[in-house]
Amino acid sequence: MKRLSIIIPMYNVAPYVERCIRSLENQDISRNDYELICINDGSPDNCREIIEKLQEEFSNIILINQENQGVSMARNNGINRACGKYLLMIDPDDYVETNSLASVVS
């Protein structure tokens, strides 16, 4: 079981999502301890392609593609896929401080 599942709904956030993901990968816990669940909510931009490229670099990224259902359904679908003990919701236009996740799961 993962310690943490981070849910990231995506719709028209291509300019921001890579910064968000990279901030979540630059952390003080092992990538084996957490997963990033990115839900592409039918976004017309290239969010999906950005995440697919990042998946080549980071093994803890999961991509869910769905037709547009809104942010609440995207989060719910991410929660349904999550296997972490704890859940953390992050908007894709936000980012987190380096080495901050250990304090979240301590």
Side-chain angles (χ1 to χ4, degrees):
M1 173 187 277
K2 303 282 185 188
R3 290 170 61 194
L4 179 63
S5 295
I6 302 172
I7 313 295
I8 308 164
M10 303 183 305
Y11 187 85
N12 275 345
V13 291
Y16 315 105
V17 70
E18 184 169 354
R19 180 180 184 193
C20 175
I21 298 297
R22 290 196 179 279
S23 78
L24 291 164
E25 294 290 1
N26 194 11
Q27 294 299 319
D28 49 359
I29 62 175
S30 168
R31 286 193 183 105
N32 295 328
D33 287 339
Y34 69 106
E35 61 187 355
L36 304 179
I37 303 173
C38 300
I39 304 93
N40 175 24
D41 190 31
S43 186
D45 64 7
N46 64 330
C47 291
R48 179 180 54 84
E49 291 84 0
I50 291 169
I51 298 304
E52 288 172 345
K53 183 72 173 163
L54 289 168
Q55 282 179 310
E56 296 172 9
E57 187 176 347
F58 302 111
S59 61
N60 62 337
I61 298 174
I62 298 161
L63 175 62
I64 298 172
N65 289 300
Q66 66 181 38
E67 291 183 22
N68 183 262
Q69 299 175 45
V71 68
S72 296
M73 283 303 297
R75 284 192 180 114
N76 287 340
N77 289 334
I79 290 168
N80 289 337
R81 171 60 178 81
C83 64
K85 180 177 179 181
Y86 301 104
L87 298 175
L88 178 63
M89 305 296 164
I90 298 285
D91 288 331
D93 58 348
D94 290 334
Y95 62 95
V96 298
E97 290 293 321
T98 300
N99 297 328
S100 61
L101 289 184
S103 64
V104 171
V105 293
S106 298

